[in-house]
Amino acid sequence: MRFKGKVALVTGGYRGMGGAAAKGMAREGATVISADIIEGAPADAEKGITYRKLDVSSPAAWQILVDAIAAEHGCIDILVNAAGVTEERSEVHGTDLAAWEKVVAVNQTGVMLGMRAVCALMLGRGPLSIINVSSIWGLVAGSGQLSYHASKGAVTLMTLNAAVTYAARGIRANAVLPGLIDTEMVRDQDPAMRAETISNTPMNRIGTADEVAKAILFLASDEASYITGALLPVDGGFTAR
Ligand SMILES: NC(=O)c1ccc[n+]([C@@H]2O[C@H](COP(=O)([O-])OP(=O)(O)OC[C@H]3O[C@@H](n4cnc5c(N)ncnc54)[C@H](O)[C@@H]3O)[C@@H](O)[C@H]2O)c1
């Protein structure tokens, strides 16, 4: 029960990797608030998780949610920023501005807003562990998907910035960098694109949401008490090449 007595806020907690992390922490004793653009609880909801609606790109919605959690629980011990969206595959010269703005608003600004609101609540009040879900595309390049790369590159560097900024003040910030993971996000993806990523993955397979959740839980827990600013690939060796 690594998370007994802890309060965890997980964005994108309705399904996928955020969903798996929320469930994993609830099973280990945490009070979990899952915040997602999808309203309501999923069919496989876990005891110990409260499902709230949140658009991570809305500053006002963040403030309302964090104020409500503070009023009810007094603090937030763990913040997992897992909400994210992807885009149609295009190349740099074909970048659609509206699609760019959407991806950046959710993946990049959403993470900033979450860290901003929760750090403001917790600074000087107690330890906080932040885990941001970046991507292999926040470290190395694939072809196309410029906005996704831009947003995940920003998540990687924002994580390092928060880690250094708050290292001596009780806030740890780390990121997981998943490779190709079997979630709704990639199930509709062009099969050729999936096959190409898998063939470039030394383990030669897709990963699971639970495999990423295990890494998130480790970084969230006190077992990682001396770890901040870590960028942990969960990618079957993709970025080791
Ligand atoms: N699946 C992959 O291969 C892969 C690889 C690397 C990184 N990632 C990242 O992992 C994270 C989780 O994605 P996933 O693969 O579990 O996909 P997913 O689509 O199953 O989960 C994403 C969740 O984010 C929520 N969401 C989307 N927009 C939102 C918004 N504006 N506000 C709040 N919630 C919102 C969705 O409703 C969904 O529940 C994302 O940040 C994604 O970019 C995914």
Side-chain angles (χ1 to χ4, degrees):
M1 294 297 249
R2 284 179 292 179
F3 302 108
K4 202 165 167 39
K6 304 274 191 197
V7 177
L9 171 57
V10 182
T11 74
Y14 184 91
R15 66 180 194 206
M17 294 178 232
K23 286 187 194 124
M25 286 193 279
R27 275 184 220 120
E28 293 202 50
T31 298
V32 179
I33 297 95
S34 159
D36 203 290
I37 195 88
I38 302 173
E39 203 160 358
D44 60 348
E46 186 87 23
K47 208 171 139 240
I49 307 179
T50 305
Y51 291 89
R52 298 280 304 256
K53 183 163 190 215
L54 172 75
D55 177 353
V56 292
S57 66
S58 163
W62 265 110
Q63 207 49 59
I64 290 166
L65 178 67
V66 169
D67 286 350
I69 298 172
E72 189 173 350
H73 302 288
C75 68
I76 295 171
D77 304 292
I78 297 161
L79 169 66
V80 179
N81 284 307
V85 290
T86 188
E87 61 182 303
E88 294 298 314
R89 197 173 200 184
S90 67
E91 296 183 327
V92 177
H93 64 276
T95 301
D96 177 78
L97 190 57
W100 164 279
E101 282 169 351
K102 164 86 180 168
V103 170
V104 169
V106 175
N107 294 6
Q108 177 175 343
T109 309
V111 170
M112 177 279 286
L113 291 172
M115 293 202 297
R116 184 177 78 167
V118 179
C119 287
L121 173 71
M122 292 308 292
L123 201 55
R125 292 186 63 185
L128 166 68
S129 175
I130 300 169
I131 302 92
N132 293 327
V133 181
S134 180
S135 167
I136 51 174
W137 307 133
L139 191 66
V140 297
S143 165
Q145 291 193 302
L146 183 71
S147 348
Y148 192 76
H149 280 70
S151 67
K152 292 301 185 179
V155 171
T156 301
L157 260 294
M158 287 194 294
T159 305
L160 297 183
N161 180 277
V164 170
T165 302
Y166 296 124
R169 289 184 278 169
I171 298 178
R172 296 187 297 109
N174 294 292
V176 291
L177 281 59
L180 186 67
I181 306 299
D182 189 16
T183 65
E184 297 282 328
M185 183 176 275
V186 299
R187 272 176 205 148
D188 294 339
Q189 210 178 44
D190 171 16
M193 195 168 149
R194 280 168 66 115
E196 185 191 322
T197 310
I198 292 171
S199 73
N200 285 318
T201 300
M203 284 190 182
N204 204 32
R205 69 168 174 88
I206 196 164
T208 68
D210 276 332
E211 288 176 309
V212 180
K214 282 176 187 155
I216 293 173
L217 264 61
F218 165 66
L219 291 170
S221 76
D222 291 342
E223 290 166 18
S225 54
Y226 196 51
I227 302 178
T228 196
L231 306 175
L232 179 56
V234 187
D235 66 356
F238 188 96
T239 51
R241 289 211 143 122

